[in-house]
Amino acid sequence: MSATSDILTHLIKQLSRLPGIGKKSAARIAYYLLQTDRTYTESLAEDIRNIQHRIRRCSVCGSFTEADPCDLCSDLQRDRSRICVVEQPQDVAVLEATGAFAGLYHVLGGVISPIDGVGPEDLSVAKLIDRATGIGEVIIATNPTVEGDTTALYLAKLLEERAIPVSRLALGLPVGGDLEYADRLTIERSLRGRTRLTTEL
Amino acid sequence: MSATSDILTHLIKQLSRLPGIGKKSAARIAYYLLQTDRTYTESLAEDIRNIQHRIRRCSVCGSFTEADPCDLCSDLQRDRSRICVVEQPQDVAVLEATGAFAGLYHVLGGVISPIDGVGPEDLSVAKLIDRATGIGEVIIATNPTVEGDTTALYLAKLLEERAIPVSRLALGLPVGGDLEYADRLTIERSLRGRTRLTTEL
């Protein structure tokens, strides 16, 4: 979709850079911004302008925060005997939203990926080892991808050498899923990782 | 997805107001904005802030423009004997992108919709009649919805009373479409609107 104004065309092009926003969605958003109330567009512009100034990385766990250390790292109510290792800061928000984990987090900042030239030295690994020493359990929550699995194995080896207990998020069928639509690898992993029903009761 | 920062939560909420952006996409965009280069976020914020200041409605056709009248209305190369009537300013861009129409446009600003309390007096109808007087053809390009069809019929009656030739965009199968997947109404309309193959050759 072409626009009849240079300014509009520029805004559409800028919006297309956002993840998940194609040219058509960008045009739709641009026309919405043109016609919505001005208070909203000004406040949105202000938020976008400020976000990088006001949010930094937590010097302890590496997630995004306004105050350093972040609210989670400073919260004395949290279980300090467990650290959950994630790839990206946004994974902390995803896990927190479940309410299923009350320990601390550690953001790696990526995964080991030789193709992309990312090695362990590019990730927050040394700091993790440092933080994890003497801790009760490290739960590795990298994504179930080749890179995520490689990174998990690499970290597990390092941590086990220091006698730190390591676990990994379970792989298996998604809740509400259907065997018929699950891929072969997921079914294999859910078979290998099968749990005794009696222990769960 | 909850975020661990108030500013981030606020940005995600603001982004969710955009059309086609749900809570998950908003979070994804917010985290992208946090991590992308600052030049881009500042330029995007600037564009969003300025868009409503720098773009207005063309006083002739009603579409969005930086200069008034707009480039299309001022372009003496265009065919001034035809006016294409659309619902929204963005429809002008959609039609222009096809390059299939070289006349002028008229933006109604909506469609007649009693449910939403929109009557002909809320649309740019009087101005259309005024502009169309003595013109060669008015092509009605409102959307093929109940409201778009109602509006098209309403306008056609007004224009025909003034002996102004009126046409409507053809309804039928989309190019590259498949009869098997077309809905009943579309097939009905494509049958009723069938064209003689010989006249097209």
Side-chain angles (χ1 to χ4, degrees), chain A residues 2 5-7 10 14 17 21 33 36-38 40 42-43 45-47 49 52-54 66 93, chain B residues 2 5-7 10 14 17 21 33 36-38 40 42-43 45-47 49 52-54 66 93:
Chain A
S2 88
S5 142
D6 286 346
I7 298 172
H10 189 253
Q14 293 280 72
R17 270 189 58 178
I21 306 294
L33 290 171
T36 189
D37 61 296
R38 204 175 276 196
Y40 168 65
E42 294 198 343
S43 135
E46 201 55 25
D47 281 4
R49 183 196 306 280
Q52 291 201 6
H53 296 280
R54 295 186 49 192
E66 289 168 50
Chain B
S2 87
S5 142
D6 286 345
I7 298 171
H10 189 254
Q14 294 281 71
R17 272 190 55 178
I21 305 295
L33 290 171
T36 189
D37 61 296
R38 204 175 275 195
Y40 167 65
E42 293 198 344
S43 136
E46 202 56 25
D47 281 4
R49 183 196 306 280
Q52 293 202 4
H53 296 281
R54 295 184 52 190
E66 288 167 53

Side-chain angles (χ1 to χ4, degrees), chain A residues 1-16 26-35, chain B residues 47 50-52 54-56 63-66 89-90 93:
Chain A
M1 194 194 292
S2 88
T4 46
S5 142
D6 286 346
I7 298 172
L8 200 51
T9 310
H10 189 253
L11 175 59
I12 293 173
K13 209 178 132 200
Q14 293 280 72
L15 289 169
S16 318
R28 206 170 147 214
I29 292 172
Y31 281 106
Y32 174 82
L33 290 171
L34 250 173
Q35 293 166 87
Chain B
D47 281 4
N50 287 338
I51 193 81
Q52 293 202 4
R54 295 184 52 190
I55 295 189
R56 71 197 84 180
S63 71
F64 289 127
T65 178
E66 288 167 53
Q90 47 268 50

